[in-house]
Amino acid sequence: MYKFIHDQALRLANQGLTPLEAAEIVEMPNAFGQKWYNRYYHGGLHHNIRAVFHKELGFWDGDPATILPLLPADHAKRHTDLIGRDKILATGRQAIDDGDYRWAIQVLHHLVFADPDDSEAKELQADAYEQLGYQQENTQYRAIFLTAALELREGIATEGSVTTASEDTILAMPIGLMFDFAGVRLNGQKATGTDLRINFSFTDVGEDWTMWVRHGVLNARPAHEDGAGLTISGPKIALAGVLLQPAQAEGIVAKYGLPTTGDLGLLQEFASVLDEFDTSFDIVTS
């Protein structure tokens, strides 16, 4: 099945079709497309055809107009200024009445991005998202559309949110991956002038690592390096805390009685160039 998807996507790419155009026309053969275990309960054909393009050919669809587009909010404001709010709103309402929910979502998208406080446009677009969601066999698409409708009506829900960066998850990471996880939080612009090196000894797993930050990039590799400004030792649970919460390093060092050699202030310098993520951000209004 996946070879069929892959080969048909590239066949159409070689005929000049874009990812979206290809996704609209490929159909699964009944021999396996109608098997219940091949239905769209996790992912879907439309999604996977476009994913093949992305994997094999990159993000660009080949249309020169999309290689360096305006930012969505800027585009939306210009689009709204050109056509007018009332006309866009009327077009979106008519599209919903006609059951043309995909068009309704796209045309109202400009109003919502141009003015995220436009409650009438948001309510109308939420209606379109809701109906399109109800039509989906693909569970991810359904969840995405219904969540969009909920956000438009009620804003960002923070209560009961789930984080994947739990203690269990972090402790299950290989140590190299844990350093990569820390590197994602490094603010490259803030860290352009930072130059520090820290040795870590994970005593419970018998691994030594060195981490350095230079030119706005965090790197790490096994073994200690001479010339590190700080060496710190302890179990993985403690050093994970030091690495991922360096602003609290002094308390973690005291709590676990971690041996250190060198300048503990390097951890505060490290903390100063890390971002704290707030995952409760807008999706459908900005």
Side-chain angles (χ1 to χ4, degrees), residues 75-117:
H75 180 200
K77 289 173 183 175
R78 297 190 191 198
H79 191 97
T80 300
D81 290 343
L82 176 67
I83 298 175
R85 175 184 181 275
D86 292 344
K87 185 171 183 179
I88 294 174
L89 206 60
T91 301
R93 185 172 285 110
Q94 185 61 54
I96 291 175
D97 291 343
D98 295 340
D100 193 356
Y101 302 119
R102 290 173 71 179
W103 171 232
I105 288 166
Q106 289 190 11
V107 72
L108 292 166
H109 177 80
H110 297 296
L111 281 186
V112 173
F113 264 59
D115 181 7
D117 294 324

Side-chain angles (χ1 to χ4, degrees), residues 10 43 67-68 78 81 116 119 150 169 213 240:
L10 293 188
I67 190 65
L68 195 62
R78 297 190 191 198
D81 290 343
S119 58
L150 184 67
T169 301
V213 176

